[in-house]
Amino acid sequence: MSNAPVPAPAVPGTVLLVGVVGSTAYGFAHAGSDVDRLGLYAAPTEELHGLHRPAESYVTTGPDVTLHEAAKWCRLALSCNPTASELVWLPDDLYEIRTPLGAELVEIRSSFLSEPGVRKAYLGYAEQQFRKLLTRDTTDPATRRRAAKHARHLVRLVEQAVRLHETGQNQVRLADPGHVRDLGERIADRPAVAESLLADAADRLARPGVLPAAPDPRPAESWLRRVRAAHYAPPPAPGAPAQSTGGALRPTG
């Protein structure tokens, strides 16, 4: 884990947590694969008090970095959004920035989970990948590669959903990425293979699991209030020169 600034666009806020996600995290990466980073930051609290709220996300390519404002990330995680949620389930070696407040968020990660949330979000994303497969003309090599990518993510999402439902744990780094890759290749050529996979996952997710019926937003609310307190700069006294709160991201509390 490094405390170096994230290679990302300058935003009005301070970074709390950043990690490497995507194919590197899952175990799919190969020579030439892009390195995707996901993180969250705290906007200066005083900027939330005016008529116009600051932007809640910043995305850049080359490098590929997505940063969400802390409150937006919490809302996404409370809906069990797979892409946002994986940030707090990464292996330790994939975190590039983890401040004390970022570490606190990792510690409360289970409070964001719910049975219906996992079922709706993960299966919904998997079915979205399946629909993309059905529209791909795999006779074109480039399209065939994209179809295989959709198929891999379909298999991954299904496996992660079932594991979350049955154990309450999200295994971002797949135990057998080779199996997922091989199955993805089969599905890319024959999308119908995925139908039984999706049906089996739906059946297992309909059985009793370990997740609660609803997420517990209280830890997130408490955490977010500490974030706001830590990033509040009182306005200057009348007549005092104003100071900018913008600038590049930097790790803080």
Side-chain angles (χ1 to χ4, degrees):
M1 181 176 65
S2 168
N3 284 330
V6 182
V11 304
T14 52
V15 70
L16 303 178
L17 188 67
V18 171
V20 175
V21 295
S23 60
T24 301
Y26 310 141
F28 296 151
H30 54 79
S33 290
D34 294 331
V35 177
D36 301 308
R37 291 177 173 86
L38 175 67
L40 60 89
Y41 66 97
T45 302
E46 61 273 17
E47 293 194 7
L48 304 175
H49 296 166
L51 289 175
H52 305 289
R53 297 182 66 83
E56 291 193 304
S57 295
Y58 288 84
V59 180
T60 185
T61 57
D64 296 320
V65 183
T66 297
L67 301 170
H68 296 305
E69 209 285 318
K72 179 178 180 178
W73 185 91
C74 286
R75 293 194 299 271
L76 291 170
L78 285 166
S79 69
C80 295
N81 178 288
T83 303
S85 296
E86 69 184 22
L87 176 62
V88 291
W89 293 92
L90 296 174
D92 286 346
D93 61 291
L94 292 181
Y95 286 111
E96 294 185 332
I97 293 177
R98 181 164 52 177
T99 65
L101 281 168
E104 287 181 31
L105 191 63
V106 174
E107 291 173 3
I108 63 171
R109 60 191 182 185
S110 293
S111 64
F112 292 93
L113 299 173
S114 68
E115 179 182 310
V118 166
R119 182 170 61 249
K120 179 179 179 181
Y122 280 76
L123 273 190
Y125 271 59
E127 290 168 353
Q128 183 181 80
Q129 300 300 315
F130 181 63
R131 289 192 294 273
K132 289 179 179 179
L133 282 171
L134 297 178
T135 64
R136 295 295 187 193
D137 175 11
T138 54
T139 58
D140 175 69
T143 304
R144 170 62 175 71
R145 288 193 294 272
R146 287 194 292 273
K149 181 176 180 179
H150 293 317
R152 286 194 299 272
H153 287 304
L154 185 156
V155 177
R156 170 186 63 82
L157 287 161
V158 163
E159 288 192 358
Q160 289 177 330
V162 171
R163 179 179 292 274
L164 274 166
H165 180 74
E166 295 178 349
T167 71
Q169 299 295 309
N170 188 359
Q171 186 172 328
V172 174
R173 180 173 284 159
L174 302 174
D176 190 353
H179 163 72
V180 175
R181 187 180 296 107
D182 292 343
L183 185 52
E185 293 295 325
R186 288 175 52 204
I187 292 172
D189 291 326
R190 295 178 55 215
V193 172
E195 293 179 354
S196 61
L197 196 68
L198 290 167
D200 178 68
D203 178 66
R204 293 176 70 174
L205 291 172
R207 303 172 192 171
V210 301
L211 298 179
D216 182 359
R218 293 171 297 179
E221 180 73 22
S222 176
W223 176 82
L224 192 56
R225 288 178 181 274
R226 292 196 300 278
V227 168
R228 297 307 186 216
H231 294 88
Y232 176 63
Q243 295 182 350
S244 171
T245 58
L249 288 175
R250 57 197 183 280
T252 67

